[in-house]
Amino acid sequence: MCGSGTCVMDISNLLISVVNSQEGILQCRGLNVHGPGADIDILCVGPSYVNREEDFFVTLHGILTQLEEVTELQPVPDAHVPLMKFKFHGMAIDLLYASVSLAVIPPDFNISEGSVLCGVDESTVRSLNGCRVADQILRLVPNVENFRTTLRCLKYWAERRGVYSNVTGFLGGVNWAILVALICQLYPNAVPSMLVSRFFRVFTQWQWPNPVMLCAIENDDLGFSVWDPRKNPRDRSHVMPIITPGYPCMNSSYNVSSSTLRVIKEQFKLGNKICQEIDLNKASWTALFEPFNFFEAYTKYLVVDIVADNDDDLRLWKGWVESRLRQLTLKIERDTNGMLQCHPYPCDYSNPTLQCAHCSFYMGLSR
């Protein structure tokens, strides 16, 4: 044990070393395809007697509040993957915690070993899964550097075209990584420019909801549920299944709805058309990365305005609303029997002329 002041100093130094060395960072940082302004995902692994509810969300949260370098601290204990969000020296960090069935975490702890999952709960499995999936993807691609270059390119394309956002029903980092990894497996000798072109060709023709899988689905004796639409009724409703490699295999794109799938498929089709023109020297690569003109694409929009007393309240309120935009999309689809399509835009907007703490989310509507 240590005094509070010592703990605060140790946590601060630890965060600095993690940010500088990228040690312990998972998902896109683990894949080494991060770009400017990208969030840092940090997984903290602790012994069995250090729990998430008290030690992480209460004790560690209290320590972080004492750090001057930490701002916009927001615990999200009820998320699908529980975490704390904050900024450290202005850099956005998502901090996850996993308590494993060990009294002491050894220096050579290997998160990819199956034994790590023994005796842990579902939330811990999901917290561990980011690192485990990243490691597995890198093992399954034939050329890691070509994979990384192609993934950087397509992540940037997705951000420009407004289809990079897991929370609003599009695709997030792990989804894009698995899709790109499949193309690398299909074309093991292709250079990144060809892999980008083949990406759009393959997924323009892909017959969803046929799943994207990098390897066969593994079963184990640990009892965790794996993606299987034959046994699990909920899995049958997934419209764009992208299955994580390694046990327990999950659908990483369960947030995608019929409306957002339609938008993604439209963007795949347009990307394929531009790549064909590039192959014929009728277009340049800059054409592929033109931003999507969201406010010119529709004639009708649904606007969700968020107003709060101050910036701290706005951040909490905005996070709550944003996490439920996907449910709004699903209800619009259901209550109109699919006749009204909803395109949620992943970015929020604020009016600089208004003096109060506020922001707005927009959804394009079409029949």
Side-chain angles (χ1 to χ4, degrees), residues 8 20 29 63 68 79 94 98 112 115 124 144 162 171 184 197 212 222 229 250 313 339 348:
V8 170
N20 289 338
R29 294 279 177 151
I63 293 173
E68 293 182 1
D94 289 348
S112 295
S115 59
T124 299
V144 171
L171 302 180
C184 291
S197 177
V212 171
L222 296 176
M250 306 175 184
D313 287 348
M339 293 180 61
D348 64 277

Side-chain angles (χ1 to χ4, degrees), residues 242-261:
I242 301 173
I243 311 305
T244 58
Y247 180 82
C249 298
M250 306 175 184
N251 176 22
S252 61
S253 53
Y254 61 89
N255 274 354
V256 176
S257 69
S258 297
S259 289
T260 52
L261 175 61

Side-chain angles (χ1 to χ4, degrees), residues 179 182-183 186 199-213 239-242 261 265 268:
L179 294 182
L182 179 69
I183 302 303
L186 295 175
F199 176 94
F200 289 111
R201 179 185 298 182
V202 169
F203 289 116
T204 295
Q205 300 172 6
W206 196 270
Q207 298 300 307
W208 305 103
N210 288 334
V212 171
M213 296 188 295
V239 298
M240 193 183 188
I242 301 173
L261 175 61
K265 289 168 67 175
F268 283 167

